[in-house]
Amino acid sequence: MTGTVGELILAALAFLLIHIVPSSVLRERVISRTGEKGYMACFSLLSLVILIWLVIAYRAAPVEEMLWDAGNGGRHLAMLLMLIASILFFGAITSPNPTAVGAGKLLEKESAYTGINAITRHPMMWSFALWSVAHIVNNGDITSIVFFGTFGLLAVAGTYLIDAKKARQLKAGWAGYKERTSNIPFAAILQGRATLSFKPLWWRLLLGIVLFAALYLLHPLVFGVLPGPL
């Protein structure tokens, strides 16, 4: 099956399963035997191996017939989605967030409810989801849909899996946090459950734009494809 769409699908399924099944079914059992650090070490190594397999399978798979060609309209949309994704990603890596591993104590801090967390409690996951959509729109072949769709599906599913895990771990504390935040971006703000403040956001917004510009300039050098409109 080497170099086939079948292998790519197999690698994609393995990547999804390794992230979904252990976290929702086996995590507590494995941790009880290996400890938290042992579990994370094994999980990280296995995830990396399967990710490398997925990338290699994608690069080796033949490009099937295009199902659509979004043209410059798709490229303009992708630019907008990637700008938002870059801001969410930078906000995620620079903001304290109780959804991170071992970060439950952050529920006691107001910073966990403001800034990027007021927009969504899963900024990292939504940045990957938007990245996935941007690339699917502009790559209408089966091979690309499977590859990029895998990350998008996992990112969206991951928001719900993380919520369920945190609810089990943090109980009442998580219920209070969930009440003041939202999974879907801007939902809590629109519902009046959260307040958008630009004070903790402005520099993250600017540096997110810088990240977007860097990705745009590096894209043709790294991947050989100009991401902007032709």
Side-chain angles (χ1 to χ4, degrees), residues 3 20 24 33 53 56 84 90 97 104 110 120 127 177 182 195 212:
I20 293 175
S24 58
R33 296 183 180 182
W53 176 30
I56 292 174
I84 299 172
F90 193 86
N97 191 307
E110 190 61 26
T120 171
S127 72
Y177 182 68
S182 65
T195 302
F212 166 75

Side-chain angles (χ1 to χ4, degrees), residues 23-230:
S23 63
S24 58
V25 179
L26 302 175
R27 178 185 174 88
E28 301 305 324
R29 294 180 185 178
V30 176
I31 288 179
S32 65
R33 296 183 180 182
T34 65
E36 181 78 24
K37 291 183 178 179
Y39 169 82
M40 290 305 301
C42 293
F43 173 77
S44 299
L45 179 59
L46 188 56
S47 296
L48 178 60
V49 170
I50 296 178
L51 174 60
I52 293 173
W53 176 30
L54 178 60
V55 172
I56 292 174
Y58 171 61
R59 293 175 63 89
V63 177
E64 300 290 335
E65 181 181 356
M66 297 288 291
L67 300 181
W68 64 77
D69 182 358
N72 273 341
R75 288 173 173 262
H76 283 293
L77 176 60
M79 295 281 285
L80 175 61
L81 293 178
M82 285 305 301
L83 174 60
I84 299 172
S86 298
I87 294 171
L88 287 174
F89 181 84
F90 193 86
I93 63 175
T94 59
S95 302
N97 191 307
T99 65
V101 177
K105 291 184 178 180
L106 291 175
L107 291 174
E108 303 170 2
K109 299 184 177 181
E110 190 61 26
S111 59
Y113 303 83
T114 60
I116 202 73
N117 297 327
I119 296 175
T120 171
R121 58 179 173 267
H122 298 292
M124 180 73 76
M125 293 294 99
W126 282 107
S127 72
F128 285 127
L130 293 178
W131 170 84
S132 170
V133 172
H135 285 77
I136 289 175
V137 167
N138 290 282
N139 295 274
D141 59 283
I142 295 294
T143 302
S144 295
I145 293 171
V146 171
F147 180 74
F148 293 110
T150 297
F151 295 99
L153 177 61
L154 181 60
V156 175
T159 64
Y160 294 97
L161 291 172
I162 292 171
D163 278 359
K165 180 176 68 176
K166 291 298 179 179
R168 293 193 301 269
Q169 293 176 343
L170 304 176
K171 297 181 171 55
W174 179 256
Y177 182 68
K178 189 176 180 180
E179 179 61 29
R180 293 180 57 187
T181 59
S182 65
N183 178 5
I184 306 300
F186 292 102
I189 295 173
L190 293 175
Q191 294 168 355
R193 296 186 288 113
T195 302
L196 182 63
S197 173
F198 284 97
K199 185 176 181 180
L201 276 177
W202 70 268
W203 64 273
R204 293 181 171 94
L205 178 66
L206 290 178
L207 291 179
I209 295 173
V210 171
L211 174 61
F212 166 75
L215 292 173
Y216 179 84
L217 294 173
L218 290 173
H219 201 278
L221 298 176
V222 177
F223 301 105
V225 178
L226 181 67
L230 299 175

